[in-house]
């Protein structure tokens, strides 16, 4: 009887183990089906993105060819124009600064020799003006003129 009882326990344990294994197998099958569905979805997404990437690449190449055909210059793209605009603003500021400095020199002639001539002319004008003042202040006083010189 002990043998039958041992066998009965072992049989019960085996049956319980078999049920547990069947349950685990069903859970594993469910997880496998779910994992296969996820893999299939990811595969479809990857295929979709590959196709889209190929389409966009072809479209990009086609548009670049169109730009070449119409004579598009790469220096006219947005980034280049922004850089040129910044350079222009900086140059305008420099020119404005230089113009401010230049204003103080507007009365001068740009040529050194012309400046010398202008100085000499101004000296002659000053001398003539001084002579006129002296002649007016002296009036008819010809006695101040040294002998041997004529009064003009």
């Amino acid at each position: 009887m002990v043998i039958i009882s041992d066998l009965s326990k072992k049989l019960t344990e085996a049956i319980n183990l078999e049920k547990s294994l069947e349950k685990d197998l069903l859970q594993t099958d469910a997880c496998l089906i779910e994992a296969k569905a996820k893999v299939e979805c990811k595969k479809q997404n990857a295929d979709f993105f590959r196709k889209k990437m190929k389409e966009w690449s072809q479209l990009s190449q086609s548009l670049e060819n169109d730009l070449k055909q119409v004579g598009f210059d790469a220096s006219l793209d947005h980034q280049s124009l922004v850089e040129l605009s910044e350079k222009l603003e900086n140059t305008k500021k420099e020119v404005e600064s230089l113009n401010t400095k230049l204003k103080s020199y507007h009365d001068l002639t740009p040529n050194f020799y012309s400046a010398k001539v202008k100085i000499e002319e101004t000296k002659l004008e000053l001398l003539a003006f001084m002579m006129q003042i002296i002649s007016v202040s002296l009036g008819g006083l010809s006695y101040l003129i040294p002998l041997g010189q004529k009064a003009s």
Side-chain angles (χ1 to χ4, degrees):
M1 285 262 200
V2 177
I3 296 176
I4 294 179
S5 166
D6 285 340
L7 286 174
S8 175
K9 278 184 183 180
K10 287 183 181 181
L11 182 60
T12 306
E13 287 176 8
I15 291 173
N16 286 337
L17 185 60
E18 183 183 0
K19 286 181 182 178
S20 175
L21 288 173
E22 283 179 5
K23 182 180 173 186
D24 289 345
L25 183 61
L26 288 174
Q27 286 177 348
T28 304
D29 284 343
C31 288
L32 181 63
I33 291 170
E34 186 178 321
K36 282 183 179 180
K38 286 181 181 179
V39 166
E40 184 61 31
C41 182
K42 287 183 180 183
K43 182 184 175 204
Q44 288 175 354
N45 283 343
D47 289 342
F48 171 78
F49 288 126
R50 276 190 209 99
K51 286 179 185 176
K52 279 296 177 187
M53 189 170 69
K54 187 175 180 180
E55 283 178 29
W56 290 340
S57 177
Q58 290 172 348
L59 178 63
S60 173
Q61 188 64 38
S62 171
L63 291 174
E64 285 179 9
N65 289 337
D66 290 348
L67 286 174
K68 285 179 185 177
Q69 287 178 356
V70 296
F72 176 74
D73 186 5
S75 66
L76 298 176
D77 68 356
H78 178 72
Q79 185 63 32
S80 298
L81 292 176
V82 167
E83 290 172 4
L84 287 173
S85 175
E86 290 172 356
K87 284 182 182 179
L88 178 64
E89 288 301 316
N90 290 337
T91 305
K92 282 182 178 179
K93 288 177 184 176
E94 285 181 40
V95 167
E96 186 177 319
S97 171
L98 292 173
N99 278 336
T100 304
K101 288 180 181 179
L102 185 63
K103 282 183 183 179
S104 64
Y105 300 105
H106 278 307
D107 293 340
L108 298 178
T109 58
N111 186 331
F112 175 73
Y113 296 108
S114 298
K116 277 184 145 182
V117 169
K118 185 75 171 171
I119 290 171
E120 290 301 319
E121 287 175 357
T122 306
K123 283 181 181 179
L124 290 174
E125 286 177 17
L126 178 61
L127 184 60
F129 181 69
M130 289 175 63
M131 293 298 285
Q132 190 178 19
I133 291 175
I134 291 172
S135 70
V136 167
S137 65
L138 293 178
L141 301 176
S142 59
Y143 61 89
L144 292 175
I145 299 174
L147 293 173
Q149 292 186 357
K150 295 184 179 179
S152 42

